[in-house]
Amino acid sequence: MRVGLFGGSFNPIHFGHLRSAEEDREALNLDLVYFIPAASPPHKTEGDLAPAEHRLAMVRLATKGNRHFMASDVEIRRTGRSYTIETVKYFLATLRQPATLYLLMGADQFAELDTWKDCGEIVSLCNIAVHTRLPDGESGPSKVSLAALSGFGYSRKEDHYVHTSEHTLSFIATSVIPYSATAIRRKIQRGQSINYLVPSDVADYIQRHALY
Ligand code: ATP
């Protein structure tokens, strides 16, 4: 089984997340993509972070129509800071069938990978797929991330990179959907519409619970 793990604050989940996960799923031939809202993301200040149970509920609503998409509450149940290394180990230990794991992330997250807790162990335990959000189908690592690659133990092989553990790092050129949760929260705060930026169930949920 081929499984993608897509973590984030999902504050709220939007079509940028959903479409890139769908394109990652197709490109990597994944059977399942788990969307994993962080309880408390290590790299974000908590200012307008909606309570975890609301962010999880919105991820559930947004993913329910796709049989390949699942919402996971693993980081929320764990509480405290959400470290990816613990999530990767959790999935490796608990998935019933032997699974090939892909950690899915945007290029902005990948550029900071060297600041993540136990990043060396993360890259040795699972594959990484970075959706690059570059215009005109260009793809590839930024200069900053390139500098980090050899430090992590990757070497180049055709169009991807291979770690000494044999796990891969690939860059997937996905459609550019330049939405951000920050911009969506700002619109809500200004009383503007967020229709067509998030699934309609998510927009309804935000309104019903007066989030943001
Ligand atoms: P914020 O604006 O609050 O920082 P965000 O919209 O960037 O949030 P996150 O929950 O922080 O969303 O991101 C989760 C993951 O989704 C990250 O790997 C990020 O790179 C990726 N991502 C965020 N927005 C997009 C988008 N528009 N297209 C593709 N990937 C995205």
Side-chain angles (χ1 to χ4, degrees):
M1 188 158 72
R2 297 165 67 79
V3 174
L5 305 180
F6 189 26
S9 43
F10 299 122
N11 184 40
I13 190 166
H14 54 69
F15 281 128
H17 299 130
L18 290 160
R19 181 66 205 173
S20 52
E22 178 71 351
E23 293 187 19
D24 289 345
R25 183 191 68 72
E26 259 186 329
L28 298 167
N29 200 16
L30 301 175
D31 300 292
L32 278 179
V33 176
Y34 286 95
F35 288 70
I36 312 167
S40 168
H43 291 91
K44 297 224 165 153
T45 47
E46 298 211 359
D48 54 358
L49 188 65
E53 60 275 19
H54 284 313
R55 291 182 289 111
L56 175 63
M58 291 188 280
V59 167
R60 287 205 166 113
L61 288 171
T63 53
K64 72 171 192 273
N66 185 330
R67 69 190 168 89
H68 299 288
F69 284 0
M70 304 279 286
S72 166
D73 63 359
V74 58
E75 294 196 352
I76 286 171
R77 271 192 283 118
R78 212 161 55 215
T79 68
R81 294 229 169 260
S82 296
Y83 291 111
T84 301
I85 183 66
E86 291 166 28
T87 304
V88 169
K89 285 183 177 167
Y90 168 85
F91 278 95
L92 284 172
T94 57
L95 283 169
R96 260 178 271 139
Q97 302 172 34
T100 306
L101 283 192
Y102 285 83
L103 205 53
L104 312 178
M105 67 184 80
D108 50 339
Q109 273 203 341
F110 178 68
E112 297 176 356
L113 190 63
D114 58 343
T115 67
W116 291 16
K117 180 171 183 275
D118 299 334
C119 51
E121 196 178 359
I122 295 175
V123 297
S124 72
L125 288 178
C126 63
N127 304 291
I128 295 192
V130 181
H131 50 255
T132 55
R133 294 198 261 172
L134 294 177
D136 302 328
E138 285 173 47
S139 69
S142 69
K143 282 198 185 119
V144 182
S145 11
L146 259 183
L149 289 179
S150 55
F152 277 131
Y154 284 110
S155 49
R156 184 159 195 150
K157 189 173 178 196
E158 293 150 24
D159 62 344
H160 63 285
Y161 294 79
V162 182
H163 190 255
T164 45
S165 65
E166 298 197 352
H167 289 102
T168 60
L169 165 67
S170 42
F171 293 86
I172 300 173
T174 53
S175 303
V176 180
I177 301 183
Y179 303 167
S180 76
T182 305
I184 291 168
R185 292 194 301 276
R186 226 173 265 147
K187 280 189 187 297
I188 296 166
Q189 281 146 15
R190 292 190 192 125
Q192 294 171 333
S193 160
I194 56 164
N195 290 344
Y196 315 114
L197 296 173
V198 300
S200 56
D201 284 354
V202 171
D204 290 346
Y205 187 95
I206 290 171
Q207 200 175 26
R208 219 172 36 252
H209 295 271
L211 300 181
Y212 308 114

